[in-house]
Amino acid sequence: MASTKLSAAVLAGLLTVSLAACGSNNASTGASPATASTPSAAATPQVLADLKDLSKGVSTTVKLDPMFLAGLTSLKVTPGVVGGTKLVDGSLVFPITGGSATLYKQGTTGSDPFVVGVIKHDGQGITLSAGGKVVKMVNFDVDAGKSEIRTDITVDGAKFGDQVSTFIADGSTLKYPPTMEGNNAILEGTKVKLTAGAAAALNKVFGVTAFTEGFPIGVAKIAVATS
C-alpha cells in the first residue's frame, strides 16, 4: 500500500513556515516511501533544521471514519480515552507532549526519509471495550522515518506489547501546504489505518473477523506551535 509519511509531511510543512527565510524546500506528498529511519550514508545530507524539542506542539486530532464508528457500534465495542486525550464530536484529540526531529534538504538523503524523528503523545491513548474485554492503546509515538504510529498495548491490564506498530499513515489525500491558526501551523488530510498486526490482535481479543489491514480509522490533523 503506497503511503506518505504523516509526520515527515507535517514537520516539513511546519518547518517551511518557520524557515521560509532560509529557503527551505517544500515537502511533497509524492515523496518516496521510507526504507530506513536515518539518512543514507551514500548521500551527503544537508540539514535544514534540527528540532530538539517538540514539547510546544499542541495536538494531533483524528476525525474518526464513519466506517470505524459504525463497526464499533455493530460489534458493541465502546471507545474510551486515556490521560488528557479527548473524544469530541467524533474526533480523538491527543495532546503532543514532546519528541524531536531533523529536517534534511529534500533529495540529499537518497531513498531514505528527509525527516527523521518522533512526535510523542506520552500518557495519551484510547481504550476499546466489549464483552468484558478491554484493549488499551497508550503512549502514541508517530515515527517520521517509518510512516507508522506505535503504541503500548494491554489487554485486560496484561501487557500485550510495548511500542507495537498499530497504525499506518496514508498521505495520498494530504493537504499541502500547511495553513496557520493563530500561532499554530496546521497540516491535515492524512488517513490513519490499522496495521495487519493490530487488526489481527483486535479480532482475536473480541472474537470477530471485522478488522483488516488498512481498516480506516480516520483523518489526522496536527497542530504545532511555531512560537
Side-chain angles (χ1 to χ4, degrees), residues 200-221:
L202 290 174
N203 285 336
K204 182 176 181 180
V205 170
F206 296 126
V208 298
T209 59
F211 297 106
T212 59
E213 180 180 14
F215 192 93
I217 303 300
V219 178
K221 171 182 177 179

Side-chain angles (χ1 to χ4, degrees), residues 10-226:
V10 169
L11 291 171
L14 297 177
L15 288 168
T16 298
V17 174
S18 60
L19 297 175
C22 299
S24 59
N25 289 350
N26 287 351
S28 168
T29 57
S32 300
T35 57
S37 58
T38 56
S40 170
T44 305
Q46 298 179 32
V47 177
L48 293 179
D50 190 9
L51 297 182
K52 298 184 182 300
D53 183 8
L54 295 177
S55 61
K56 291 193 296 183
V58 181
S59 63
T60 296
T61 300
V62 178
K63 183 174 179 58
L64 298 175
D65 190 286
M67 182 176 173
F68 178 62
L69 293 173
L72 294 183
T73 299
S74 66
L75 296 172
K76 298 182 180 180
V77 175
T78 302
V81 294
V82 178
T85 303
K86 297 180 180 179
L87 179 57
V88 182
D89 297 330
S91 293
L92 288 166
V93 183
F94 304 92
I96 295 173
T97 61
S100 62
T102 302
L103 173 68
Y104 298 89
K105 183 177 180 180
Q106 192 173 8
T108 68
T109 59
S111 62
D112 294 338
F114 54 88
V115 178
V116 296
V118 175
I119 299 177
K120 302 184 72 66
H121 307 77
D122 292 342
Q124 315 305 317
I126 62 173
T127 60
L128 298 173
S129 306
K133 298 286 187 180
V134 179
V135 175
K136 179 180 178 181
M137 303 175 182
V138 70
N139 298 328
F140 279 51
D141 280 2
V142 181
D143 191 313
K146 295 183 178 179
S147 298
E148 68 179 8
I149 302 173
R150 299 186 295 268
T151 69
D152 296 341
I153 302 177
T154 61
V155 178
D156 294 336
K159 181 186 293 188
F160 176 86
D162 291 335
Q163 290 299 282
V164 176
S165 181
T166 309
F167 304 105
I168 300 169
D170 176 359
S172 61
T173 57
L174 185 68
K175 296 179 182 179
Y176 198 87
T179 57
M180 294 294 294
E181 292 181 1
N183 292 325
N184 299 331
I186 307 295
L187 195 134
E188 59 185 315
T190 295
K191 293 181 179 179
V192 179
K193 304 176 181 181
L194 272 182
T195 62
L202 290 174
N203 285 336
K204 182 176 181 180
V205 170
F206 296 126
V208 298
T209 59
F211 297 106
T212 59
E213 180 180 14
F215 192 93
I217 303 300
V219 178
K221 171 182 177 179
I222 293 184
V224 175
T226 59

